């Protein structure tokens, strides 16, 4: 990964103008597509296959007058007057008549029609129900405008003191928009970037790149609505995530680039290295977010899958633009990415150690003679104020690790207590602002008709076999009235063809009440008994039933998704850190952060804490899909901080530091950037809370609290304490597990080692095979190995460790220690590339193997090849041009005579000599510690 990103960084730095133009072109193309073809993200939240949704779909065919979505107009009479008297009745009937002629209106129901329903018991209010074609997202704006116009016109004709307001299901869904409040998060991010990076140019770069990436993502999402229906929450979630991760990912790369420039690294070389090192961590962190978001599909809910994929696409674009456009922009900026003072120090450093010392700056003496060490890491500099602060932080956290652990667990555990009261529901009109007409209508309906009237249920079924459909519906209505929790059954009627019947049920409580959910269960529990008695299979549906079904399915999906996320985090972190304890600790910390985030959401949105301050319109159950989205997103963000913090600590461990020193050095080296990233994330998410849409507001608060807790309490306080308590045990992994798990080098260690050995060995830089002080699996040693162009290497099959050496030379087996370079590839870092370039052949397969033009050919003649067979092998190698310098290098496993007979004439034969197996070496080669440090099989 790091090698590929290194090459990508170098290319982007060279082709900087092309890279910028490509991204602008992508934005232009997607933006045009969005403007021309985009349909808007306002799809309803449904789950195909549920009882309620199937019943609604069936009603669309058999009883269109009550299917689809609906709007309502409520008329409230002046005190002391009744709506069933004049002038109210006449005005209501005129308004209904006008609405019947509007396009996409299926039916209009008033209390004075054939089916009388919608009159308050005291006559103080009446409902006009407008049944519309299709779902809420499919109703044309013109139709909605006609409903609003009819309501406003009715209000003007009513006596003074009377009210008329429109609302209903079709108006309950608001499309989130961007408010000026969201810009506060960007402003805070900009201030943090200035403090972190030290210059306006450097601070503006992550913002501009993130905004461009978000523009591409949003344009792509809106363009996608031409083909896939998306809910209104989808683009806002993608926007929020895209801004947050886009800024942070670019920050990591720019910060590493500045660090290397201060150490005297060439600008383009530093860009490539920063892209390779920090870019690897960015790719890994982004992948965790993407996998978690795509993992939302485990719930099997289409709208949630679409939401997760869209948000994952926004994160993927943020990753891609970070590792492609950032190097290009950094190349354009050159040394100006550094503050002026640091540019002067860099110039003094370039002039030589004495000039650097004479610069009289804080960094001058430390940078004298600077460059980078064998790992490509900048040399130490005198401690800054930030380093002193974070040094004190980590000392305090690790001085008494048990006390720190207990304190954090108690604090976060207390914050998570409200989560035990978590209740889920889909948003309705109560989540809208207090002055929104739909909410006003809902509150007036609740006041005059009861809370249940704002979310009535519908029972429907086929009655085609009945000889008395009207009588049957009346009997069923009586049965429904006897069910506890039913306040009223205002309507029970067959359709015009008498093949389908509906029963409207008004619950005693509102749509979000637990008693309403219990009523739905109770009605469904009566299904078999009523079917046996009346021969009718009744299904419970309506917007309230759909919302309850969606919430139940989302709650059921939460545990499988949690298991997926937790299992994924264990595997991914084990891959990165080659440890068992680190993943366990990280995963438990993630669960703590999730608990605290849920606790904050419940405290604010259910209990009402700080509700006025955060402009929460009403308290009640939390958005149904909030928990699963929050868990997925927070998982990825938590892994960001874990990787950037712990990888720096592990880097110190790998290079020989003891556990305690590694914690202090690694923490101080990464805490500043992690802190900046966490503050930016927190600010961006928190900015969506005060004025955000109800659906986004709850997710944004959960993410803001989760990020704060995870970054500052879990990662930067709990993690150092746990690592200090574990000591060296933190970095151990069983040998079998190390061999099974692939390696993900997020620290860029492999690349740094490759760069350090770019011209190695100094005694023979053009060697096709070069090795020094090799320790092989099994314990065999090879002191020195050199094979130049046009030369071949013979390995005696009887020699101890010979086969292990051949396998190592072809990338099929790891080396335990030492330095080995084969065909320009450093091992074990590039073992995968070597395997693709190498071939292992026997006498029977040599022609097939050479036909693939391998750069390295292992010729295994242990099968007892004859002299005639050797001549055929020589002929095949000669035909393939193996004897030419620069073509395939041959490693032959055979005795001297057979090797000489098989190789083309003029080939110089080198001998490989492995040392005697020593017990200490064999034990070291097979130890779990060695496997953990070198990353197992590569």
């Amino acid at each position: 990964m790091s090698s590929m990103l290194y090459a990508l960084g170098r290319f982007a730095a060279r082709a900087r103008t092309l890279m910028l133009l490509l991204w602008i072109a992508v934005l232009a193309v997607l933006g045009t597509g969005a403007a021309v073809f985009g349909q808007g993200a306002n799809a309803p939240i449904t789950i195909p296959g549920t009882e309620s949704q199937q019943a609604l779909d069936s009603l669309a065919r058999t009883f269109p007058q009550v299917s689809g979505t609906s709007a309502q107009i409520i008329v409230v009479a002046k005190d002391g007057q009744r709506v069933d008297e004049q002038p109210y009745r006449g005005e209501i009937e005129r308004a209904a008549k006008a609405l019947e002629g509007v396009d996409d209106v299926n039916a209009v129901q008033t209390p004075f029609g054939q089916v009388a329903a919608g009159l308050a018991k005291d006559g103080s209010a009446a409902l006009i129900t407008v049944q519309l074609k299709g779902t809420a997202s499919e109703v044309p704006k013109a139709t909605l405008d006609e409903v609003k116009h009819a309501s406003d016109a009715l209000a003007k004709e009513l006596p003074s003191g009377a009210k008329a307001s429109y609302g209903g299901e079709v108006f309950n869904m608001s499309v989130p928009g961007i408010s000026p409040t969201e810009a506060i998060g960007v402003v805070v991010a900009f201030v943090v970037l200035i403090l972190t990076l030290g210059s306006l140019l450097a601070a503006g770069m992550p913002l501009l790149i993130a905004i461009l990436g978000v523009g591409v993502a949003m344009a792509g999402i809106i363009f996608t609505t031409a083909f896939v229906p998306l809910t209104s929450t989808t683009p806002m979630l993608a926007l929020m995530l895209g801004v947050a991760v886009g800024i942070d990912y670019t920050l990591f790369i720019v910060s590493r680039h500045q660090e290397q420039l201060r150490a005297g690294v060439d600008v383009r070389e530093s860009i490539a290295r920063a892209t390779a090192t920090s870019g690897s961590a960015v790719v890994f962190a982004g992948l965790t977010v993407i996998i978690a978001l795509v993992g939302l599909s485990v719930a099997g809910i289409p709208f949630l899958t679409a939401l997760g994929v869209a948000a994952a696409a926004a994160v993927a674009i943020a990753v891609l633009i970070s590792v492609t456009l950032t190097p290009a922009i950094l190349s354009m900026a050159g040394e100006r990415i550094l503050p002026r003072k640091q540019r002067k120090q860099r110039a003094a450093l370039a002039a030589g150690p004495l000039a650097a010392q004479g610069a009289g700056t804080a960094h001058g003496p430390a940078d004298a003679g600077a460059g980078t060490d064998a790992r490509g890491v900048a040399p130490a500099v005198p401690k800054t104020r930030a380093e002193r602060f974070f040094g004190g932080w980590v000392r305090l956290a690790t001085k008494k690790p048990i006390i720190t652990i207990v304190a954090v667990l108690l604090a976060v555990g207390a914050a998570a207590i409200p989560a035990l009261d978590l209740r889920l529901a889909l948003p309705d009109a109560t989540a809208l602002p207090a002055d929104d007409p739909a909410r006003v209508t809902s509150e007036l309906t609740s006041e005059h008709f009861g809370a249940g009237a704002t979310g009535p249920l519908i029972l429907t079924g086929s009655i085609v076999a009945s000889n008395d459909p009207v009588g049957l519906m009346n009997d069923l209505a009586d049965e429904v009235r006897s069910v506890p929790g039913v306040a009223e059954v205002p309507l029970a009627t067959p359709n015009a063809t008498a093949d389908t019947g509906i029963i409207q049920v008004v619950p005693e409580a509102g749509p979000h009440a637990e008693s309403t959910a219990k009523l739905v269960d109770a009605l469904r529990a009566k299904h078999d008994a009523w079917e046996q008695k009346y021969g009718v299979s009744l299904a419970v549906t309506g917007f309230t039933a759909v919302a309850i079904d969606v919430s139940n399915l989302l709650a059921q999906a939460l545990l499988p998704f949690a298991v997926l996320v937790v299992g994924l985090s264990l595997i991914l972190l084990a891959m990165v850190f080659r440890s068992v304890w680190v993943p366990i600790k990280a995963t438990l910390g993630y669960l703590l952060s999730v608990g605290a985030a849920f606790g904050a959401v419940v405290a604010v949105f259910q209990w009402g804490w700080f509700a006025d301050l955060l402009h929460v319109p009403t308290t009640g159950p939390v958005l149904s899909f909030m928990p699963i989205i929050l868990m997925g997103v927070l998982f990825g963000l938590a892994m960001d901080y874990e990787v950037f913090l712990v990888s720096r600590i592990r880097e110190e461990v790998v290079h020989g530091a003891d556990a305690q020193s590694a914690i202090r050095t690694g923490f101080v080296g990464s805490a500043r950037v992690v802190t900046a990233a966490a503050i930016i994330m927190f600010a961006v998410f928190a900015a969506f809370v005060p004025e955000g849409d109800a659906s986004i507001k709850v997710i944004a608060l959960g993410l803001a609290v989760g990020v704060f807790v995870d970054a500052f309490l879990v990662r930067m306080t709990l993690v150092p304490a746990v690592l200090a308590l574990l000591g060296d045990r933190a970095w151990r992994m069983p040998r079998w597990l190390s061999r099974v798990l692939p390696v993900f080098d997020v620290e860029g260690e492999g690349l740094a080692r490759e760069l350090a050995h770019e011209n190695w060995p100094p005694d023979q830089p053009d060697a096709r095979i070069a090795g020094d002080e090799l320790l092989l699996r099994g314990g065999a040693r090879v002191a020195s190995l050199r094979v130049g162009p046009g030369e071949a290497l013979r390995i005696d099959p009887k020699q101890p460790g010979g086969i292990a050496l051949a396998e190592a030379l072809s990338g099929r087996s790891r080396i335990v220690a030492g330095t080995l370079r084969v065909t320009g590839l450093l091992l074990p870092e590039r073992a995968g590339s070597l395997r693709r370039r190498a071939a292992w052949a026997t006498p029977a397969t040599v022609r097939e193997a050479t036909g693939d033009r391998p750069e390295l050919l292992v010729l295994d003649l242990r099968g007892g090849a004859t002299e005639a067979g050797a001549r055929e092998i020589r002929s095949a190698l000669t035909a393939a041009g193996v004897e030419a310098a620069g073509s395939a290098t041959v490693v032959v496993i055979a005795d001297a005579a057979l090797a000489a007979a098989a190789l083309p004439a003029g080939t110089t034969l080198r001998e490989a000599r492995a040392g005697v197996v020593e017990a200490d070496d064999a034990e070291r080669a097979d130890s779990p510690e060695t496997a953990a440090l070198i990353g197992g099989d590569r």
Side-chain angles (χ1 to χ4, degrees):
M1 175 62 72
S2 57
S3 298
M4 182 186 71
L5 289 174
Y6 178 83
L8 178 61
R10 290 187 70 91
F11 170 78
R14 289 195 307 270
R16 54 194 184 183
T17 303
L18 173 63
M19 194 64 68
L20 178 60
L21 292 176
L22 282 175
W23 277 107
I24 293 175
V26 170
L27 177 61
V29 170
L30 290 178
T32 302
V36 175
F37 301 105
Q39 300 297 310
N42 58 352
I45 297 174
T46 60
I47 301 183
T50 59
E51 175 182 319
S52 55
Q53 190 61 49
Q54 288 177 333
L56 279 181
D57 295 340
S58 177
L59 282 175
R61 298 187 299 270
T62 62
F63 211 150
Q65 294 86 350
V66 295
S67 68
T69 189
S70 65
Q72 284 184 333
I73 297 176
I74 187 170
V75 177
V76 180
K78 182 180 179 180
D79 291 344
Q81 298 180 354
R82 294 178 62 91
V83 294
D84 54 354
E85 297 176 351
Q86 298 299 341
Y88 294 96
R89 178 166 181 165
E91 295 300 337
I92 290 172
E93 289 177 335
R94 275 191 289 273
K97 187 73 173 175
L99 286 169
E100 287 176 354
V102 175
D103 291 341
D104 295 295
V105 171
N106 271 333
V108 181
Q109 178 183 307
T110 72
F112 318 119
Q114 275 187 322
V115 181
L119 180 66
K121 292 179 180 179
D122 60 359
S124 62
L127 287 174
I128 303 174
T129 301
V130 184
Q131 206 67 38
L132 302 168
K133 296 178 183 178
T135 63
S137 62
E138 295 170 344
V139 178
K141 182 178 181 298
T143 302
L144 299 181
D145 290 341
E146 289 290 346
V147 175
K148 295 176 185 178
H149 175 72
S151 175
D152 294 341
L154 179 58
K156 291 179 181 178
E157 299 298 329
L158 295 176
S160 177
K163 300 176 185 176
S165 179
Y166 65 87
E169 179 187 332
V170 74
F171 292 106
N172 288 349
M173 182 176 63
S174 63
V175 178
I178 300 176
S179 70
T181 308
E182 274 85 61
I184 296 175
V186 178
V187 172
V188 173
F190 186 57
V191 173
V192 173
L193 289 169
I194 291 175
L195 295 175
T196 304
L197 301 176
S199 76
L200 290 175
L201 178 63
M205 185 179 298
L207 281 179
L208 293 176
I209 292 174
I211 290 172
L212 179 60
V214 166
V216 171
M218 294 297 290
I221 289 172
I222 299 302
F223 177 61
T224 304
T225 60
F227 314 99
V228 180
L230 299 176
T231 62
S232 59
T233 307
T234 302
M236 291 301 291
L237 179 64
L239 171 66
M240 187 167 61
L241 286 178
V243 171
V245 301
I247 294 173
D248 276 5
Y249 291 167
T250 306
L251 166 63
F252 292 132
I253 296 174
V254 174
S255 177
R256 177 62 70 94
H257 176 55
Q258 284 188 324
E259 179 184 342
Q260 293 169 167
L261 287 181
R262 288 193 295 268
V265 181
D266 174 72
V267 172
R268 287 196 176 178
E269 178 64 19
S270 176
I271 292 171
R273 292 188 186 186
T275 307
T277 52
S278 291
S280 292
V282 163
V283 170
F284 174 80
L287 281 176
T288 59
V289 182
I290 291 167
I291 293 171
L293 287 169
V294 174
L296 293 175
S297 59
V298 74
I301 300 172
F303 84 87
L304 191 61
T305 299
L307 186 149
V309 171
V315 175
I317 289 171
V319 172
L320 190 59
I321 202 168
S322 295
V323 298
T324 56
L325 186 57
T326 302
I329 303 298
L330 287 174
S331 179
M332 293 178 183
E335 294 187 4
R336 290 176 297 162
I337 198 68
L338 290 174
R340 184 175 302 174
K341 183 178 179 181
Q342 293 179 8
R343 291 202 298 270
K344 291 180 179 178
Q345 294 169 9
R346 176 177 166 83
L349 180 64
L354 293 177
Q357 291 177 9
T361 63
H363 296 281
D367 287 344
T372 55
D373 59 17
R375 294 174 285 143
V377 177
V381 296
K383 291 183 179 180
T384 63
R385 182 181 302 174
E387 289 169 336
R388 291 194 297 272
F389 172 78
F390 288 116
W393 182 319
V394 72
R395 281 194 300 273
L396 182 62
T398 58
K399 186 176 182 180
K400 300 288 185 181
I402 294 180
I403 294 177
T404 302
I405 292 169
V406 172
V408 172
L409 291 178
L410 289 176
V412 180
I417 289 175
L420 299 174
D421 194 33
L422 179 67
R423 289 174 52 227
L424 304 176
L426 287 181
D428 61 8
T430 59
L432 298 172
D435 58 349
D436 189 287
R439 179 169 175 178
V440 171
T441 300
S442 175
E443 291 174 346
L444 289 173
T445 303
S446 179
E447 177 184 347
H448 292 277
F449 293 88
T454 62
L457 303 172
I458 294 177
L459 273 70
T460 181
S462 173
I463 57 172
V464 68
S466 173
N467 296 323
D468 181 15
V470 174
L472 173 63
M473 297 311 299
N474 290 333
D475 291 341
L476 285 170
D478 291 337
E479 292 276 7
V480 173
R481 289 187 182 96
S482 66
V483 177
V486 175
E488 185 183 0
V489 180
L491 180 66
T493 182
N495 63 353
T497 56
D499 57 19
T500 301
I502 64 160
I503 303 171
Q504 189 180 64
V505 182
V506 177
E508 291 178 348
H512 290 169
E514 291 185 46
S515 61
T516 302
K518 291 179 180 178
L519 174 59
V520 171
D521 293 337
L523 291 172
R524 287 172 175 167
K526 296 282 188 180
H527 173 274
D528 293 346
W530 289 345
E531 184 177 24
Q532 185 176 4
K533 184 175 181 179
Y534 297 101
V536 180
S537 176
L538 291 176
V540 184
T541 186
F543 178 78
T544 299
V546 169
I548 290 171
D549 286 347
V550 170
S551 298
N552 289 339
L553 283 177
L554 284 167
Q556 293 170 14
L558 201 57
L559 181 59
F561 181 71
V563 172
L564 171 71
V565 168
V566 169
L568 184 67
S569 68
L570 288 170
I571 294 171
L572 290 175
L573 291 172
M575 285 169 48
V576 172
F577 297 118
R578 320 309 297 176
S579 164
V580 172
W581 285 109
V582 170
I584 292 174
K585 170 267 305 170
T587 302
L588 293 177
Y590 157 73
L591 294 176
L592 287 173
S593 303
V594 168
F598 285 174
V601 167
V602 170
V604 173
F605 290 92
Q606 285 185 211
W607 295 359
W609 293 7
F610 310 109
D612 292 337
L613 178 65
L614 299 177
H615 297 177
V616 177
T618 186
T619 57
V622 171
L623 182 69
S624 298
F625 50 89
M626 182 280 298
I628 197 167
I629 290 176
L630 191 145
M631 288 183 68
V633 175
L634 192 56
F635 164 72
L637 303 182
M639 295 307 102
D640 284 4
Y641 305 133
E642 180 75 15
V643 168
F644 285 110
L645 182 66
V646 180
S647 63
R648 196 66 176 264
I649 297 174
R650 179 179 177 269
E651 187 176 347
E652 299 297 324
V653 172
V654 168
H655 292 97
D658 63 88
Q660 303 303 322
S661 298
I663 294 170
R664 290 192 295 271
T665 305
F667 183 92
V668 172
S670 57
R672 181 175 67 96
V673 177
V674 170
T675 299
I679 293 174
I680 290 170
M681 286 263 190
F682 175 82
V684 171
F685 293 145
F688 281 82
V689 177
E691 302 299 335
D693 174 79
S695 299
I696 290 297
K697 184 189 290 278
V698 65
I699 297 173
L701 177 70
L703 288 176
V705 173
V707 163
F708 181 87
V709 170
D710 193 84
F712 297 111
L713 295 183
V714 174
R715 306 301 157 190
M716 294 181 62
T717 305
L718 183 64
V719 165
V722 172
L723 292 178
L725 190 64
L726 290 173
D728 292 333
R729 290 171 296 175
W731 309 105
R732 294 176 183 171
M733 174 181 279
R735 180 174 50 193
W736 65 268
L737 185 59
S738 180
R739 289 174 177 170
V740 168
L741 291 176
V743 176
F744 200 112
D745 179 18
V746 298
E747 300 98 340
E749 292 177 61
L751 173 66
R753 192 164 171 264
E754 283 189 74
L755 293 174
H757 291 80
E758 191 171 8
N759 296 314
W760 186 89
D763 60 319
Q764 193 175 345
D766 63 341
R768 302 301 301 276
I769 298 175
D772 279 341
E773 301 299 330
L774 300 179
L775 175 60
L776 307 175
R777 296 183 70 172
R781 284 184 175 276
V782 178
S784 181
L785 195 61
R786 299 287 188 275
V787 178
E791 298 179 340
L793 179 69
R794 186 184 77 86
I795 297 176
D796 188 342
K798 298 179 181 179
Q799 186 180 30
I803 303 304
L805 175 60
E807 290 175 343
L809 292 175
S810 59
R812 294 170 177 240
S813 176
R814 63 178 170 86
I815 62 168
V816 177
T819 304
L820 178 60
R821 198 164 180 229
V822 180
T823 66
L825 301 175
L826 191 68
L827 301 181
E829 286 78 12
R830 303 295 297 278
S833 298
L834 179 60
R835 283 193 293 272
R836 291 190 293 271
R837 302 182 189 184
W840 190 291
T842 63
T845 61
V846 64
R847 289 190 181 274
E848 179 183 353
T850 55
D852 293 333
R853 301 293 181 185
E855 294 183 21
L856 179 82
L857 177 65
V858 178
L859 195 54
D860 189 352
L861 304 184
R862 287 177 294 170
T866 62
E867 288 188 12
R871 287 194 295 271
E872 291 183 8
I873 294 172
R874 171 183 286 191
S875 175
L877 295 179
T878 302
V882 170
E883 80 282 4
S887 61
T889 298
V890 178
V891 176
V892 58
I893 307 173
D895 59 44
L898 194 57
L903 294 175
T907 303
T908 303
L909 200 60
R910 301 290 183 185
E911 299 285 336
R913 300 189 182 279
V916 179
V917 177
E918 298 178 8
D920 289 345
D921 286 343
E923 182 178 355
R924 179 187 172 200
D926 292 329
S927 70
E929 290 80 2
T930 298
L933 289 177
I934 69 168
D937 292 336
R938 303 197 185 203

